[in-house]
Amino acid sequence: MLPKTLTADLHTHPLGDRYCRRPVKMISREDRKDIRAYIHHLISRGVQVAACTDHDMVAGGLFARDLAAGEGLPIIIVPGTEVSVLGRTQRLHLIALNIQRDLPASRLTLREAAREIHAQGGAAVLAHPVRYPHEIKMDPGMLECLDGLETCNGSEGVFDAGHLLDAESRYGRRFILQTAGSDEHWERDRAARSRNCHACSFEIPVSWLVEKKIISRESAEAILKAVRNPDLRD
Ligand SMILES: [Zn+2]
Ligand SMILES: [Zn+2]
């Protein structure tokens, strides 16, 4: 039996702003060291599923995923990016979960970016909508291309989606997962002990992760066993 939920943080920046708008394919030795330290920090926070979503660059997230899986760490890392997209009046931030290739920053509309994310087998989550509620008000139809809405962000605060989504978190016939993310920038925030990142975790339904093909049903049980019982893993 799969557990129903896992503790997740779906918005993190292990490499801070280091490669914002200038992504690379190969990360450095220092980057790898920082990512390793950050994963252990996430584990110490009790996070079981984390999306590594550095600005504009997925290379760090791919490395983090392979590191966690290769070393049997009790955490599932989802590679991703946070990319700027064009809204009606300003740039919006879109979290691309489980992608393999970088998206061009600031050149795509929200719908174009979501299409590209889905073409890569990923999921699209609008980051910190609390920063631009007027954009959603002007264009509520944007929810039709989103898989999630980050209603709790560690830097920006809480967005009440009650006026958009029904009690089952549906917009029309579409289920939109309400996500949370610390938005931790590891370099910048590692000294700031005052931040309460536990408030930025949430219980993610495993069924959503499987449905979005972020984890496969076959591997889910084994991964989840290691996550739930770190002492039992091989
Ligand atoms: Zn952002
Ligand atoms: Zn961010």
Side-chain angles (χ1 to χ4, degrees), residues 157-179:
V158 172
F159 175 78
D160 182 355
H163 61 294
L164 294 166
L165 306 176
D166 70 11
E168 273 76 50
S169 203
R170 285 179 182 279
Y171 178 77
R173 300 176 66 174
R174 203 178 158 74
F175 173 76
I176 313 253
L177 182 69
Q178 296 186 49
T179 74

Side-chain angles (χ1 to χ4, degrees), residues 3-233:
K4 282 200 162 38
T5 64
L6 291 167
T7 305
D9 179 344
L10 288 194
H11 186 164
T12 71
H13 298 280
L15 300 179
D17 293 330
R18 207 174 287 171
Y19 295 104
C20 191
R21 285 187 293 279
R22 44 189 185 87
V24 296
K25 295 279 175 242
M26 292 275 287
I27 58 172
S28 70
R29 182 188 294 213
E30 190 196 354
D31 296 336
R32 293 199 291 270
K33 214 172 110 205
D34 284 341
I35 289 169
R36 176 184 293 275
Y38 187 66
I39 292 177
H40 285 282
H41 165 75
L42 286 167
I43 293 169
S44 74
R45 274 181 49 204
V47 174
Q48 298 169 319
V49 180
C52 290
T53 55
D54 279 314
H55 295 286
D56 307 323
M57 187 184 86
V58 75
L62 293 171
F63 171 78
R65 177 196 61 189
D66 294 346
L67 180 77
E71 297 191 0
L73 299 177
I75 189 166
I76 298 163
I77 300 288
V78 181
T81 64
E82 181 176 21
V83 67
S84 292
V85 298
L86 306 172
R88 297 259 171 115
T89 63
Q90 66 178 106
R91 289 197 172 87
L92 312 176
H93 284 177
L94 193 61
I95 299 197
L97 296 175
N98 205 30
I99 56 164
Q100 313 302 318
R101 298 180 302 280
D102 297 332
L103 274 71
S106 305
R107 291 220 304 272
L108 304 177
T109 65
L110 181 112
R111 286 172 174 80
E112 289 168 341
R115 209 174 301 136
E116 169 63 21
I117 291 166
H118 292 142
Q120 290 193 34
V125 176
L126 185 66
H128 41 64
V130 70
R131 198 193 275 184
Y132 24 66
H134 56 281
E135 284 277 342
I136 303 179
K137 203 171 172 187
M138 271 188 277
D139 181 20
M142 71 160 72
L143 295 174
E144 280 159 22
C145 68
L146 295 175
D147 304 288
L149 206 52
E150 187 187 54
T151 47
C152 181
N153 176 284
S155 304
E156 309 274 347
V158 172
F159 175 78
D160 182 355
H163 61 294
L164 294 166
L165 306 176
D166 70 11
E168 273 76 50
S169 203
R170 285 179 182 279
Y171 178 77
R173 300 176 66 174
R174 203 178 158 74
F175 173 76
I176 313 253
L177 182 69
Q178 296 186 49
T179 74
S182 63
D183 209 353
E184 272 184 304
H185 288 59
W186 180 229
E187 262 181 312
R188 189 185 71 197
D189 295 338
R190 79 166 98 190
R193 289 166 184 272
S194 58
R195 288 189 67 194
N196 179 13
C197 286
H198 296 282
C200 317
S201 305
F202 73 112
E203 290 301 305
I204 193 166
V206 172
S207 57
W208 189 86
L209 292 168
V210 172
E211 185 203 319
K212 299 296 174 190
K213 299 191 168 60
I214 291 171
I215 55 178
S216 73
R217 195 172 285 282
E218 296 73 45
S219 65
E221 218 156 321
I223 298 168
L224 299 175
K225 202 167 148 191
V227 168
R228 282 282 152 115
N229 303 295
D231 299 333
L232 296 182
R233 67 182 189 266

